[in-house]
Amino acid sequence: SIYPNPGRVNVNLSIVHPDGTHVEEVTLKTNDEGEFKYETAELDAGSYAVSASWDGNEIYRGTSAELELPVQDTTGMFVILTSGSTQSSDQRKRAYATVGQYSANSLLARGIPMSRIQFLTPDYGTEVASPIATGLNTKENLTHAIEEWAPALAATRLSDRAKSPLTVIIIGDGIFGHIYTQVDEVISSGELASAIENFNVNATNLPAQDLSLANMFPVNIVLEAPKSGSFIDDLTGPKH
């Protein structure tokens, strides 16, 4: 905004790329309160110089302002589900909980923001719950995270999709073609494959038959469970 308020006037806005080239040069019109707004996207990573200036009029002198706009690299989306609780009397279940927590902490240590992590655990909502935990370890929450939450964060530019993979980590007991999300609930290899396909459909806004290597997002799948090899056939696919 401009103060004192000059009313409706023209403001020159410039956005300069880190290499010195102009990304945007536009003229904006302020509203009655001397305020203006400009939205832009499609910026590569780097530090941009943004400047706005007004030439002034017969009442007010002109003014200008500058700021530095940092843009971070696109990062991926991470979904972690562990069926183990730190409060379990079963040592194996406690180990599952430890692996899940270690996975989440490792992402944070790499600089991945918490907003890019879904951590589903039976400890959610309890006194011992990790501050990173986002929900309970249900199949419903897992498929929602893959099919709805992750697509909403996926990169919009085709050139950024290689840098915005979905990583799914599931830790728990397993039987052939199934992994337990809870004691009495499983997700099958086919259900997980379907959820991952729906992720790409929702992230690209394309029907499944139009998905190709050129427009799909990479997907990393980590299964820490007995019989996890039985998932390979169903989960093998382009960019998986």
Side-chain angles (χ1 to χ4, degrees):
S1 63
I2 303 175
Y3 182 83
N5 176 16
R8 291 180 174 269
V9 296
N10 290 331
V11 172
N12 299 313
L13 181 76
S14 171
I15 303 176
V16 179
H17 191 275
D19 66 7
T21 59
H22 279 78
V23 179
E24 306 274 2
E25 285 186 292
V26 296
T27 300
L28 307 175
K29 177 77 74 174
T30 61
N31 60 20
D32 291 334
E33 284 72 45
E35 300 170 337
F36 60 93
K37 180 173 71 172
Y38 184 71
E39 295 183 1
T40 186
E42 310 286 311
L43 296 178
D44 295 322
S47 184
Y48 292 76
V50 181
S51 62
S53 63
W54 172 55
D55 293 336
N57 56 23
E58 63 277 7
I59 301 175
Y60 299 109
R61 292 180 179 177
T63 185
S64 64
E66 296 183 354
L67 64 83
E68 183 178 338
L69 176 66
V71 176
Q72 295 183 336
D73 269 321
T74 303
T75 189
M77 298 74 64
F78 302 84
V79 178
I80 304 169
L81 181 145
T82 178
S83 63
S85 168
T86 57
Q87 302 179 91
S88 176
S89 59
D90 186 328
Q91 183 178 1
R92 187 178 71 259
K93 299 287 189 182
R94 295 197 302 273
Y96 292 158
T98 300
V99 174
Q101 185 65 57
Y102 178 81
S103 300
N105 289 341
S106 296
L107 294 175
L108 293 177
R110 288 174 47 205
I112 304 298
M114 288 180 62
S115 61
R116 312 287 296 192
I117 302 170
Q118 285 282 292
F119 182 28
L120 308 175
T121 165
D123 289 336
Y124 177 74
T126 70
E127 293 181 353
V128 299
S130 164
I132 313 170
T134 55
L136 288 171
N137 52 313
T138 66
K139 180 165 66 173
E140 180 181 5
N141 285 344
L142 176 62
T143 55
H144 179 271
I146 295 171
E147 297 179 350
E148 304 295 336
W149 171 81
L153 295 177
T156 55
R157 287 193 300 178
L158 190 63
S159 60
D160 280 341
R161 290 182 184 173
K163 297 182 290 183
S164 186
L166 168 64
T167 299
V168 179
I169 303 171
I170 304 177
I171 306 146
D173 288 323
I175 56 177
F176 191 89
H178 298 78
I179 291 179
Y180 283 89
T181 53
Q182 295 185 322
V183 173
D184 56 354
E185 180 185 74
V186 297
I187 187 167
S188 70
S189 57
E191 289 171 326
L192 184 55
S194 177
I196 290 169
E197 181 179 71
N198 289 337
F199 158 73
N200 260 303
V201 168
N202 294 335
T204 61
N205 291 312
L206 292 172
Q209 63 269 23
D210 291 340
L211 292 175
S212 67
L213 279 175
N215 55 39
M216 292 175 67
F217 287 83
V219 179
N220 305 310
I221 307 159
V222 181
L223 305 179
E224 180 60 41
K227 306 294 184 181
S228 57
S230 62
F231 275 61
I232 290 175
D233 288 344
D234 282 339
L235 295 184
T236 297
K239 292 193 176 181
H240 289 188

